[in-house]
Amino acid sequence: MLRYLLLTCLALGGCQSAPKVPAQVGPRPFYLVDDMSPGPLKDRLEQCRTGPFYRSDFVFGHRGAPLQFPEHTQEAYQAGAVMGAGTLECDVTFTKDKELVCRHSQCDLATTTNVLLIPDLAAKCSVPFTPANGDQPAQAQCCTSDFTLAEFKRLKGKMDGFNPRAQTPAQYLLGSPGWRTDLYSQTGTLTTLKDSIALFKKLGVKQTPELKAPMVRMPFNGMTQQAYAQKLIDTFVDAGIDPKDVFPQSFNLEDIRYWLKAAPAFGKQGVFLDERDEQPGFDPMNAASWQPSMAELKAEGVNILAPPLWMLVTLDENGQIVPSAYAKAAKAAGLDIITWSFERSGPLAGGGGWYYQSIAKAIHKDGDRMTLLDVLARQVGVRAIFSDWPGTVTYYANCMGLD
């Protein structure tokens, strides 16, 4: 076969691979490598300091680049592409007039946009702003389904967060975590699914839309869950996007099943976001606690599984990070793995929080992220990693020769 390919290339005048797209990873990965404990992995990563750095399909931009840019904004998406993400994500929900837009949650507008500062729009929120009173925190809930598309486009994205002690809407918006920044929140251009598709195509990246769970009763104004799932696919078809460049996601297994049946070219690349850990008795080291099983998922046509970081790793008897039984079973069943979300947490001193819960005893400082990243890539064998700061994973992927 290799001889045949070589002869064919020669006959055609030579075969060339697609040119690599340069990436700028910024200073963060260098900071993390410097913070690592001495050892072979640190030595290898230090040898890559001069680059060059290129875009990688191993890197998924989680909501763009929300460690520093407001999530699901054009600015965050552009930053993710610049830092080497080969795939970018639009979390998909819908407006009052059933238009698809990019938001992590249908009802997060009060904490991720300036909606409370626009009086005529704030008045339409499902739960109007209520100031803090004693032990009762300040409250507000504003949903995309509260507004038409035209109204949605009047909003500006900001870093996700709120001040629970706020007495005014302006104070409510001042809640960004200290380890993020509002430096790039001055523009915050929101986007629709259709516009994100056009932007991602222009940027030359693949696309991973996530169908978010509705927070309103379905059917919504006549739109059923299946119609919602189909509308997502239709938007890509209408834009002429090749299905091989699209990875539709959902936490709802029924959505994956629907795509496999109704749009198999897209469905076979469907990403099942695994929340089986919410089932009573779930244990990533006990296969009997996973329902459905890995083999059953594969038999249904699911090809890509996407669990959170912590479900894929555990500690061995020496306290070293190693693949979990869950990770081994997924690979044994023939499932590809895409995991989330790298650098979603703040500083890791003290165990790292939710994303690191299964390996907390081995997490002591920020540089330990790179050790986990190496285990996920080389021992678990993940296909890709969602990252809130794609440049870090790009640095690692380029250094290790991952496309």
Side-chain angles (χ1 to χ4, degrees):
M1 177 59 73
L2 290 175
R3 182 173 182 272
Y4 170 78
L5 291 174
L6 177 60
L7 292 174
T8 300
C9 285
L10 291 174
L12 293 174
C15 294
Q16 296 181 345
S17 59
K20 293 182 177 180
V21 179
Q24 301 175 27
V25 299
R28 182 158 178 78
F30 300 93
Y31 164 80
L32 294 175
V33 172
D34 287 343
D35 193 48
M36 294 176 66
S37 299
L41 177 60
K42 181 174 183 175
D43 292 343
R44 179 165 179 177
L45 292 175
E46 284 183 330
Q47 293 173 6
C48 301
R49 299 182 75 92
T50 58
F53 300 110
Y54 299 98
R55 181 174 294 168
S56 172
D57 284 341
F58 187 74
V59 187
F60 276 36
H62 181 240
R63 314 184 199 179
L67 186 64
Q68 291 197 23
F69 289 82
E71 63 189 46
H72 294 308
T73 61
Q74 290 185 23
E75 293 77 15
Y77 292 146
Q78 290 165 342
V82 166
M83 286 190 285
T87 302
L88 291 174
E89 177 187 46
C90 166
D91 288 332
V92 179
T93 186
F94 51 84
T95 61
K96 187 175 183 178
D97 45 355
K98 297 183 288 188
E99 295 295 330
L100 302 185
V101 295
C102 300
R103 285 288 91 198
H104 177 249
S105 169
Q106 187 171 32
C107 293
D108 71 3
L109 296 182
T111 63
T112 65
T113 76
N114 66 336
V115 63
L116 295 180
L117 300 183
I118 306 175
D120 65 311
L121 297 185
K124 297 183 178 184
C125 289
S126 300
V127 179
F129 171 75
T130 303
N133 184 13
D135 294 333
Q136 183 66 36
Q139 297 183 40
Q141 180 171 285
C142 307
C143 306
T144 57
S145 51
D146 293 334
F147 308 101
T148 65
L149 178 59
E151 291 168 334
F152 174 84
K153 287 185 173 181
R154 293 171 55 192
L155 304 177
K156 182 173 73 174
K158 74 173 194 68
M159 193 62 75
D160 188 15
F162 73 100
N163 174 10
R165 305 313 307 161
Q167 294 297 307
T168 68
Q171 292 175 356
Y172 188 82
L173 302 185
L174 302 177
S176 299
W179 41 274
R180 291 182 180 160
T181 177
D182 291 312
L183 185 62
Y184 303 107
S185 295
Q186 310 311 306
T187 309
T189 308
L190 301 191
T191 184
T192 65
L193 173 61
K194 181 178 179 180
D195 290 343
S196 78
I197 291 172
L199 175 62
F200 296 173
K201 183 177 181 180
K202 180 180 178 181
L203 292 172
V205 299
K206 296 182 176 65
Q207 316 201 25
T208 182
E210 180 187 338
L211 196 72
K212 301 303 296 188
M215 298 183 71
V216 293
R217 186 182 298 277
M218 300 292 280
F220 177 78
N221 291 345
M223 183 172 67
T224 65
Q225 181 68 27
Q226 288 192 346
Y228 174 36
Q230 185 62 49
K231 190 176 181 72
L232 181 150
I233 297 298
D234 289 344
T235 308
F236 283 92
V237 172
D238 292 345
I241 305 300
D242 192 324
K244 70 178 178 58
D245 293 330
V246 182
F247 300 88
Q249 314 169 60
S250 181
F251 280 101
N252 182 357
L253 186 55
E254 290 302 319
D255 292 334
I256 307 294
R257 288 167 174 155
Y258 174 80
W259 290 328
L260 284 167
K261 181 178 180 180
F266 291 90
K268 68 180 182 181
Q269 297 211 142
V271 179
F272 175 43
L273 297 162
D274 195 355
E275 57 181 0
R276 286 177 291 173
D277 59 304
E278 296 186 359
Q279 297 174 354
F282 175 87
D283 179 353
M285 301 303 291
N286 178 10
S289 69
W290 317 330
Q291 300 298 326
S293 69
M294 300 295 186
E296 288 169 338
L297 288 174
K298 184 64 176 179
E300 287 196 58
V302 175
N303 292 313
I304 306 175
L305 186 65
L309 302 172
W310 69 268
M311 287 168 59
L312 294 171
V313 288
T314 188
L315 299 178
D316 66 13
E317 62 276 9
N318 298 314
Q320 300 299 305
I321 303 172
V322 295
S324 66
Y326 173 103
K328 294 176 182 178
K331 297 297 289 187
L335 294 166
D336 283 345
I337 300 172
I338 300 175
T339 190
W340 46 275
S341 295
F342 196 72
E343 298 208 77
R344 186 66 187 163
S345 303
L348 298 191
W354 188 83
Y355 284 97
Y356 301 83
Q357 59 186 281
S358 61
I359 55 171
K361 292 181 179 179
I363 299 297
H364 307 292
K365 56 184 179 177
D366 286 348
D368 292 336
R369 298 176 196 269
M370 305 307 287
T371 302
L372 172 60
L373 183 54
D374 189 60
V375 172
L376 292 169
R378 295 205 288 173
Q379 296 186 45
V380 174
V382 299
R383 174 174 177 161
I385 294 178
F386 279 98
S387 177
D388 278 32
W389 197 243
T392 301
V393 184
T394 298
Y395 183 107
Y396 175 89
N398 289 173
C399 192
M400 298 299 179
L402 302 174
D403 293 330

